[in-house]
Amino acid sequence: MNHTPSSSTAPARGNHFGRILVIAGHAFTQLVRMKVFYFMAVFALIAIASNFLSLPQHAGPESMGAQVLNQIKSWSLGAMTLFSVVLSIVATALLLPKDIEDRTLYTILAKPVPRFDYLAGKLLGVILLVLVSLLMMDALMVGALQLRTSMVMSEQVGMVKSLGWGDDAIESLKQEIRANGSNWSLQGAVLAVFLRAAVMAALAILISTFSTSTLFTTIVSFLMYFIGYFQADARDVYLHGGEAGQGAVARIGSLLVSLVIPDFQLFNVIDAAIEGQAVPLVAMGKLCFVGIYYTLFYLFVSWFVFADKEF
Amino acid sequence: MASEISAVEISHLSKDFRTHLRKPALRAVDDVSLRIMPGEVYGLIGPNGSGKSTTMKALLGLVAPTSGKCSIFGKDSMQVDSRNDVGFLPENPYFYKHLTGQETLRFYGKLCGLGGRELDARIAELLKLVDLEGARDRRVGGYSKGMLQRIGLAQALIQEPRLVILDEPTAGVDPVGSRQIRDLIMTLRDRGITVFLCSHLLEQVQEVCDHVGIIFQGRMIKEGRLEDLIAIEDQTEIVIQNGDEQLVARISELVSGTPGASLVRTGKPRTTLERLFLQSIR
């Protein structure tokens, strides 16, 4: 079935990009009006609660400030990961089956709308939603961190001064506290969370092109998410675990698996950012490439499946 | 007329659906051919499951023909640009419930590349045409069945298509809503828009269509001009205003005196139950 645009000189109006934006804007509005942003209240609670949680620690009192800041980052980024992945999978899994069930898909595809534009629009709508959600959560997290950093700074500096620390030691402590506050590495971690959610949304849209229900799409997408975390380890064990992994076929097979299923361990830079370590630009560049590659890969495979789908 | 491009051309269309891997494919449409010229109102009639909707979906590129070909104004239906000239209203449509009537039309208009004042004017014109001006800012989720059909018709017309395809446009709609939709179809015909509709409500098809096709078990069993198909060739109907019994008696006498002719029936023509209902509630 050929659903690619014809090259004939029909009086077609609009363009691909315009149509994709219309569908994306609509998908975004649809999800917003489904009140998905209510979870922001839960996130705000988590961000505030993480200030007061005291977990057992083995470090000295001079590290307590950094511990509190790490705790805020850890809880906030954890909640961001949870919300963004759940949102990207569930929202995407909901959109296509709902359009088919309600027959709204018929009215859209009966217009001069190529199927690729429809899919890309839906995906972009979900990605937009995830982006806006993350930006809001990021703003909350940064706000909480800024506030807490200045409090920790004055508390800790006051404490070490009373213990008689020298200026150099105090400056070093200040630097440590700043490193654990809000910085560019933390924004890199948020970008990593966003890229991972975008990949998951694209994967969910691929699954929903051949799935028959929202439930199936959601379950398989989460399964693929977990496989993404273990596939690199599994490949390593297979390739280095014995003779089976030494052959060319095994290596090609392993390469194909990595081309189709993302290695989500690459996104562990988030942990480094929580620990206050700087995330190298090269690592971020690699993440961006991986995120864009898998998102586009899944989108084009979705198109391949969806182009021949009958309704 | 002969050189004019058909609005719809379906040529030897067959469509099989595979329901089970081991079972043979189910043939939903079997070698159907039809041609609709611009400006015609064509009704495809048949019982449920006879292949009407599948034929329409094939024409819209929503399903691929197993064999045969469909075209719209000379363009292959499987090409996206064939849909520049088509508006489609599916059976029992649901539109996005979170959008208002106006937003719904704006969404479909933008999909067709319309925008700005042109789209605003078109939305206002269509809302007036389908009598939904008062409900323009109400969410579609709160629309009645008849209103949904009418907003559906408006979205089908948003890009001023030359062909409108309607799948069971009056199914499940009350008599008032049904009347409004049929009036709209006749308005479209007056504007020169080609209408291709399918229905199993035969009286309604008879009222609005000038050409019909009868499809049964996937096969086209009869097709042509409605007048030609339903006329009883050897009978003539005379309806007289203010004719008394004496006049009827004289006509009967005249008929009986004519070799080979016979009077079949005299009496008062009846209104339809629909007309009676609409008059009663107005």
Side-chain angles (χ1 to χ4, degrees), chain A residues 1-3 6 8 10 13 26 30 33 99 102-104 106-112 115 310-311, chain B residues 15 57 61-62 64 75 78-81 83-84 91-92 94 96 98 103 108 112 114 118 155 159:
Chain A
M1 203 191 295
N2 181 11
H3 284 285
S6 159
S8 81
R13 304 180 66 163
H26 171 263
Q30 184 181 9
R33 290 188 185 176
D99 273 10
D102 291 351
R103 297 191 181 92
T104 38
Y106 295 177
T107 52
I108 293 171
L109 296 183
K111 300 284 181 205
R115 294 188 180 199
E310 297 191 328
F311 302 100
Chain B
K15 178 63 193 171
K57 285 180 184 175
L62 294 172
K75 286 174 193 151
M78 299 313 289
Q79 298 295 327
V80 172
D81 61 1
R83 276 158 243 155
N84 284 322
E91 184 182 3
N92 296 323
Y94 283 89
Y96 292 114
H98 63 280
E103 286 171 338
Y108 285 101
C112 297
L114 303 175
E118 183 191 12
Q155 69 76 25
Q159 83 274 32

Side-chain angles (χ1 to χ4, degrees), chain B residues 115-128:
Chain B
R117 286 181 188 167
E118 183 191 12
L119 181 56
D120 291 341
R122 186 78 187 133
I123 290 169
E125 183 195 349
L126 285 171
L127 286 171
K128 189 177 178 188

Side-chain angles (χ1 to χ4, degrees), chain B residues 4-214:
Chain B
E4 200 174 2
I5 296 174
S6 326
V8 171
E9 178 114 35
I10 296 176
S11 175
H12 302 288
L13 173 71
S14 292
K15 178 63 193 171
D16 295 339
F17 287 110
R18 194 158 283 282
T19 52
H20 194 276
L21 281 176
R22 289 180 195 166
K23 289 183 180 171
L26 176 79
R27 177 147 286 200
V29 179
D30 190 4
D31 197 31
V32 165
S33 295
L34 65 90
R35 195 169 187 223
I36 306 173
M37 297 311 291
E40 285 181 5
V41 179
Y42 189 102
L44 188 62
I45 57 177
N48 292 333
S50 56
K52 303 186 297 286
S53 295
T54 305
T55 304
M56 288 192 158
K57 285 180 184 175
L59 185 60
L60 288 160
L62 294 172
V63 298
T66 305
S67 64
K69 201 182 163 191
C70 304
S71 65
I72 295 169
F73 291 106
K75 286 174 193 151
D76 189 333
S77 287
M78 299 313 289
Q79 298 295 327
V80 172
D81 61 1
S82 71
R83 276 158 243 155
N84 284 322
D85 268 327
V86 186
F88 175 55
L89 173 66
E91 184 182 3
N92 296 323
Y94 283 89
F95 295 101
Y96 292 114
K97 289 176 187 165
H98 63 280
L99 297 181
T100 64
Q102 183 180 215
E103 286 171 338
T104 301
L105 296 187
R106 189 170 300 284
F107 171 65
Y108 285 101
K110 283 183 175 176
L111 282 183
C112 297
L114 303 175
R117 286 181 188 167
E118 183 191 12
L119 181 56
D120 291 341
R122 186 78 187 133
I123 290 169
E125 183 195 349
L126 285 171
L127 286 171
K128 189 177 178 188
L129 179 75
V130 299
D131 194 22
L132 284 174
E133 283 170 301
R136 64 186 300 149
D137 296 321
R138 266 170 63 189
R139 289 204 178 174
V140 169
Y143 277 19
S144 69
K145 184 86 173 74
M147 290 164 86
L148 274 177
Q149 292 291 101
R150 280 183 282 141
I151 199 73
L153 196 55
Q155 69 76 25
L157 295 168
I158 193 78
Q159 83 274 32
E160 297 186 70
R162 288 187 285 164
L163 169 69
V164 179
I165 300 177
L166 312 170
D167 191 357
E168 304 281 3
T170 56
V173 181
D174 66 34
V176 179
S178 172
R179 179 72 264 161
Q180 283 177 312
I181 291 165
R182 277 174 285 152
D183 287 345
L184 281 169
I185 292 169
M186 288 193 266
T187 306
L188 298 181
R189 181 180 60 189
D190 295 343
R191 291 183 178 190
I193 295 171
T194 313
V195 180
F196 179 29
L197 64 92
C198 79
S199 178
H200 55 260
L201 301 170
L202 306 183
E203 283 182 10
Q204 297 186 1
V205 173
Q206 184 176 345
E207 184 188 337
V208 296
C209 295
D210 40 40
H211 284 72
V212 291
I214 301 173

Side-chain angles (χ1 to χ4, degrees), chain A residues 57 59-68 156 159 173 176:
Chain A
Q57 50 186 295
E62 70 281 1
S63 299
M64 273 180 66
Q67 291 273 358
V68 170
Q156 294 280 295
M159 186 187 75
L173 178 70
E176 191 196 342

Side-chain angles (χ1 to χ4, degrees), chain A residues 109-128:
Chain A
L109 296 183
K111 300 284 181 205
V113 177
R115 294 188 180 199
F116 177 80
D117 294 8
Y118 173 79
L119 280 181
K122 289 285 179 191
L123 178 62
L124 189 61
V126 175
I127 289 176
L128 256 173

